[in-house]
Amino acid sequence: MNLAINGLVQRFTDPDGRRPPATVLDGLNLTTGDIQALVLVGPSGGGKSTLLRILAGLDVSTSGTVAFDGVPLPRDEKALQGYRRTVATVFQAYNLFPHLTAMQNLLLPLVHVHGLTEPEALERVREPLERFGLTAHAYKRPAELSGGQKQRIAILRALVVQPSRLFLDEPTSALDPEMTGEVLEMIGELKALGTQFVLVTHEMGFARKVADEIAFIVDGSVGAHAPAADFLDRCTDPRIRLFLDRTLHA
Amino acid sequence: MPRWLAYTLVLALLAAGGAWAFASLDMNWNWGLVWEYRAAFVRGWWMTVALSLASLLTSSLFGIIAAVMLRSRFTFAQAVARVYVELIRGTPLLVQLLIGWYVIAAALRVGSDQRYLVGVLVLSLFSGAYMAEIFRGGLDAIPRTQLDSARAIGLTPWQTLRLVVLPQAVRIVLPAVAGQLVSLVKDSSLLSVISIAEFTFNARNVNSATYSTLESYLPLAVGYLALTLPLSALSRWLERRFRYEAA
Ligand SMILES: Nc1ncnc2c1ncn2[C@@H]1O[C@H](COP(=O)(O)OP(=O)(O)O)[C@@H](O)[C@H]1O
Ligand SMILES: [Mg+2]
């Protein structure tokens, strides 16, 4: 994917008018090469989630443009709904619907959004469930799954609709360390499978492994942007070095 | 102490107390005369069942509309719903029925053959104000993150309501709705003040005809319990049945 972001502004106005409007993205620019995986890093509150929500078609920016492979993102809700059906998003937590089993969670978008029959949908999820070692958990409710299993089912649900791109917002930050590994491993396999994705993460070691390019988002704009190895090893910006040292030794 | 023993003991104590109270009254029971009127009891009981069910349906509708308005972004809709809920919950049903029938229905020239309709309507408005808070709680219990998830997988707002929000909200509110039906059954007895021939109204007529107060009203208590006890049990069962942790 070639991602081109130009002058992206996101300003939130308080509906009650008690607080002044907050400019969360402040004219952000970013142009990537033709890459498979983009990783966004940066300090908390810098605007990574806000940016990812716009890329995923969940929010509309105040102004500015975003284009994937030269195709600009629409701005009206109807067209955005269509766009969301071609991509997939995984949040930090609470992705699954608690009243449905893991299997029903997987089938829901296939049947109700993508028009598969139930047998077709079952056939579609059978092999991926097996490959990621989740078959034994398919008929459990989210409450009966561990945090890691829930996130893996959520990633699987995103995957089986065969999206053109995946957006992942800190998919491991709500997990215990021992479960982080299994989720990262799964994302690593996505990379091997050729899936295109944009990932927000604080796992620098993992970013080095999967990222083609890394963008450092701070104070609502891009503080630095480079191929993964350059960014991690040769970056001299003291702000970023400080951030990297902190995250690597956390 | 095992549960059955506890219940048996409580009921036995209650029966003993009742027996003692009635014995000290030195009653001359007159069940024979009241038995002649058994058809009136049965008719009234069924009328109470019908009125309660009709009011449950209508008040669910009022409750859902008011709950959605309470959560609406539009201040005016919010205000309308809030005033409705507070006015209704802050005044006695008796007053609402009298105003509804003798003032509003009279002003609208509603015929006296329509009193059942008006009765159900007022009772539904009354119960709907309580239902509104029940449904609002049910809707509030669905976290925003799930609405985000639903949007992210491409569901339309209508699909989100049908596949995500309602199935969960209904489970959450069902026990409370069953509890509200218990209240409706008892509250419907007030419809007698506008001469609706439900259970209480008929029992009162039997009393005036036979001058056997307790013989007229004791079956009334039993008849209401026959409705409310199973409903309470249902409410408790639903609560256990649908209790699961949010994930
Ligand atoms: N809907 C919103 N309304 C107001 N402020 C918001 C909203 N969403 C995010 N923000 C603010 O925007 C800033 C950036 O948030 P976010 O994009 O979540 O950062 P990050 O994901 O990098 O931690 C934060 O200060 C946050 O409080
Ligand atoms: Mg974030």
Side-chain angles (χ1 to χ4, degrees):
Chain A
M1 60 179 172
N2 281 294
L3 171 59
I5 304 174
N6 269 306
L8 197 63
V9 174
Q10 185 66 303
R11 191 172 293 123
F12 292 111
T13 42
D14 184 10
D16 301 325
R18 274 195 290 263
R19 275 169 298 156
T23 303
V24 175
L25 297 181
D26 196 6
L28 184 143
N29 297 304
L30 179 68
T31 305
T32 70
D34 188 9
I35 57 172
Q36 187 192 338
L38 172 67
V39 170
L40 305 177
V41 301
S44 173
K48 301 180 297 295
S49 297
T50 305
L51 172 59
L52 200 78
R53 290 179 62 87
I54 295 171
L55 299 183
L58 290 164
D59 287 340
V60 178
S61 64
T62 309
S63 64
T65 61
V66 175
F68 281 100
D69 300 319
V71 182
L73 281 195
R75 296 185 62 87
D76 68 295
E77 176 57 25
K78 200 77 212 144
L80 274 174
Q81 194 176 294
Y83 170 74
R84 289 197 294 270
R85 293 174 172 206
T86 67
V87 298
T89 306
V90 176
F91 304 104
Q92 192 172 326
Y94 307 112
N95 288 286
L96 303 182
F97 301 117
H99 62 301
L100 303 177
T101 64
M103 182 60 96
Q104 290 169 324
N105 266 285
L106 293 173
L107 299 187
L108 184 76
L110 289 173
V111 171
H112 291 280
V113 179
H114 298 273
L116 274 69
T117 64
E118 188 129 343
E120 285 168 349
L122 276 167
E123 183 53 30
R124 171 90 66 93
V125 302
R126 197 176 45 82
E127 191 270 336
L129 268 172
E130 194 64 43
R131 169 147 36 100
F132 293 105
L134 290 163
T135 309
H137 307 299
Y139 292 94
K140 292 181 184 167
R141 288 260 171 85
E144 303 165 277
L145 297 171
S146 75
Q149 288 161 351
K150 273 187 283 207
Q151 281 304 68
R152 281 154 65 209
I153 294 283
I155 294 173
L156 207 58
R157 183 178 71 185
L159 213 60
V160 290
V161 300
Q162 300 169 346
S164 56
R165 269 184 303 283
L166 208 56
F167 299 99
L168 304 122
D169 191 358
E170 302 196 32
T172 60
S173 0
L175 299 181
D176 296 335
E178 61 270 27
M179 290 171 191
T180 303
E182 66 189 49
V183 174
L184 293 183
E185 200 176 307
M186 183 169 179
I187 299 170
E189 286 195 45
L190 299 189
K191 172 89 197 230
L193 288 170
T195 311
Q196 297 189 349
F197 58 91
V198 179
L199 165 72
V200 178
T201 187
H202 289 292
E203 305 280 341
M204 287 306 151
F206 182 68
R208 177 192 296 275
K209 256 203 329 231
V210 296
D212 297 313
E213 293 182 11
I214 298 180
F216 184 74
I217 311 291
V218 59
D219 295 337
S221 54
V222 176
H225 166 227
D230 289 354
F231 179 89
L232 292 167
D233 302 329
R234 286 185 276 284
C235 181
T236 50
D237 185 325
R239 245 186 342 177
I240 299 172
R241 283 264 60 102
L242 187 64
F243 172 80
L244 288 178
D245 290 342
R246 280 215 196 108
T247 353
L248 286 173
H249 302 124
Chain B
M1 171 159 29
R3 199 210 287 262
W4 65 265
L5 185 60
Y7 276 101
T8 314
L9 217 62
V10 170
L11 290 177
L13 281 172
L14 209 59
W20 174 80
F22 281 120
S24 64
L25 276 180
D26 203 13
M27 284 282 301
N28 282 313
W29 293 105
N30 196 357
W31 290 109
L33 189 52
V34 170
W35 179 247
E36 309 274 315
Y37 289 90
R38 60 192 177 278
F41 282 104
V42 172
R43 245 184 297 119
W45 190 86
W46 279 113
M47 182 54 73
T48 287
V49 171
L51 292 169
S52 306
L53 284 178
S55 303
L56 183 74
L57 288 182
T58 323
S59 64
S60 298
L61 192 70
F62 291 157
I64 288 172
I65 295 172
V68 169
M69 286 169 73
L70 281 174
R71 287 166 46 94
S72 147
R73 284 176 290 130
F74 303 106
T75 329
F76 185 74
Q78 261 180 40
V80 169
R82 183 47 64 196
V83 167
Y84 159 62
V85 168
E86 297 304 333
L87 272 189
I88 295 284
R89 302 210 313 176
T91 54
L93 174 58
L94 178 64
V95 175
Q96 294 164 19
L97 278 166
L98 294 176
I99 291 178
W101 181 243
Y102 290 109
V103 179
I104 299 175
L108 296 173
R109 306 267 182 275
V110 174
S112 74
D113 52 331
Q114 302 286 315
R115 62 175 72 239
Y116 285 79
L117 190 71
V118 173
V120 166
L121 214 60
V122 175
L123 190 56
S124 302
L125 278 172
F126 172 75
S127 170
Y130 292 86
M131 292 282 216
E133 294 292 355
I134 294 175
F135 288 127
R136 194 169 65 107
L139 293 174
D140 282 347
I142 316 288
R144 282 215 56 84
T145 51
Q146 284 196 41
L147 305 185
D148 252 355
S149 271
R151 257 158 55 80
I153 62 173
L155 295 182
T156 63
W158 170 241
Q159 284 177 318
T160 305
L161 189 68
R162 191 164 54 86
L163 300 168
V164 177
V165 175
L166 285 184
Q168 296 184 76
V170 164
R171 286 171 216 229
I172 292 165
V173 304
L174 262 185
V177 168
Q180 184 62 26
L181 186 53
V182 172
S183 303
L184 261 177
V185 167
K186 289 180 299 172
D187 293 338
S188 69
S189 67
L190 274 176
L191 291 175
S192 57
V193 301
I194 60 170
S195 302
I196 285 178
E198 44 69 68
F199 200 24
T200 302
F201 183 86
N202 284 9
R204 190 186 296 161
N205 279 352
V206 174
N207 178 36
S208 345
T210 62
Y211 299 107
S212 309
T213 309
L214 280 171
E215 293 88 334
S216 305
Y217 285 123
L218 279 178
L220 193 62
V222 173
Y224 277 110
L225 279 174
L227 283 174
T228 54
L229 286 182
L231 284 172
S232 303
L234 173 72
S235 170
R236 265 176 284 123
W237 180 80
L238 288 169
E239 211 164 327
R240 264 176 292 138
R241 170 85 175 66
F242 288 131
R243 190 184 299 149
Y244 58 78
E245 286 173 70

